[in-house]
Amino acid sequence: MPAGSTGAVERAAGGVLYRRATAGLEICVVHRPRYDDWSLPKGKLSDGEPPLVAAAREVEEETGTAGIPQLRLPDVDYPLPGGRPKNVAFWLMRAGSDGPVRDTDEVDELAWLPLEEAAARLTYADERDLLAHVAALPPVTAVIALVRHGRAGERKKWAGRDELRPIDPVGAKQADRIADLLTPLRPRRLVAAPPLRCAQTLEPLAAALGGQPIVRDSAVAEPPSPDRLPARLAAARSRLAELRAHERVVVCSQGKLMPQLLASLHGDDATERFRTPKGDGWLLTWSGDRLLGASRL
């Protein structure tokens, strides 16, 4: 912990919420009467709440607009008045549906401003720096959440065909978590590798989206043998390129493909940093053919 800081880090999350206007991007900034400041919408995490879920919740509560997460942005860190450190995780979010501001105690005014005017309105330099980072980004064209299926017991204890092995109670909870994380993404397509456990992992998300169908696709399944990995990687990369046309997609894959696929997308041979626990995943963001970011969910 840095010198002079006291207590555990207070964690919060928020968003750079934008919409496209004739003159370019407009950013939503909010006025907080408690502090008499202008800031980006954000707030503290509830107990056990994932930062991405908190960010989407806080943005909608403070602005009345549902934000569609697109890209994990740099965190903002600063000390609170008593010296306790605070960390705020931010996502770039495109404006979705509008509604009333729900947190009227926290926010009494909001403004949609061109990017430069929004930066000038903000009270805090670190949030102005965040908008400078956003200003330098190319347009986001596609977001794909790549997740690994939930826990499905032990293969050696399953007597049937392995592709029919179902998720277990822990895997069911992991599937519910994935639904909580990715419902704000409003995916237009759900794709699962053929094993039952992959489709089951996406079922709570599909239900939350009103019964969206889950498409089975062998291109995102792990290969049947190590020597088939290069061909499967090529097929998976090609399929992801096609899926980017749908703009927002969730893909459920498997552990013997995902690290290699993620490393391949990064042009990296080091797969270790891309190992993904069951029930976890990544948010992948593209501008055209360029991968802008890959952040863990």
Side-chain angles (χ1 to χ4, degrees), residues 258-264 268-276:
M258 284 180 57
Q260 291 82 358
L261 176 58
L262 288 161
S264 174
D268 190 345
D269 292 330
T271 60
E272 189 64 32
R273 69 188 181 103
F274 298 113
R275 293 196 180 279
T276 308

Side-chain angles (χ1 to χ4, degrees), residues 159-170:
R161 294 166 53 195
D162 185 63
E163 56 265 36
L164 298 180
R165 181 159 47 98
I167 57 175
D168 60 20
V170 171

Side-chain angles (χ1 to χ4, degrees), residues 90-108:
F90 275 100
W91 278 264
L92 180 68
M93 296 186 183
R94 201 185 82 185
S97 57
D98 288 330
V101 174
R102 298 204 295 269
D103 197 349
T104 53
D105 290 335
E106 186 73 19
V107 172
D108 65 351

Side-chain angles (χ1 to χ4, degrees), residues 141-190:
T141 57
V143 180
I144 296 180
L146 179 64
V147 301
R148 186 179 176 187
H149 65 77
R151 203 181 79 171
E154 295 183 44
R155 181 178 301 191
K156 63 183 179 182
K157 293 182 179 180
W158 175 251
R161 294 166 53 195
D162 185 63
E163 56 265 36
L164 298 180
R165 181 159 47 98
I167 57 175
D168 60 20
V170 171
K173 290 181 179 179
Q174 292 170 333
D176 288 339
R177 175 181 177 271
I178 286 171
D180 289 341
L181 283 167
L182 296 180
T183 297
L185 182 62
R186 300 185 185 185
R188 295 177 171 175
R189 190 98 164 172
L190 303 180

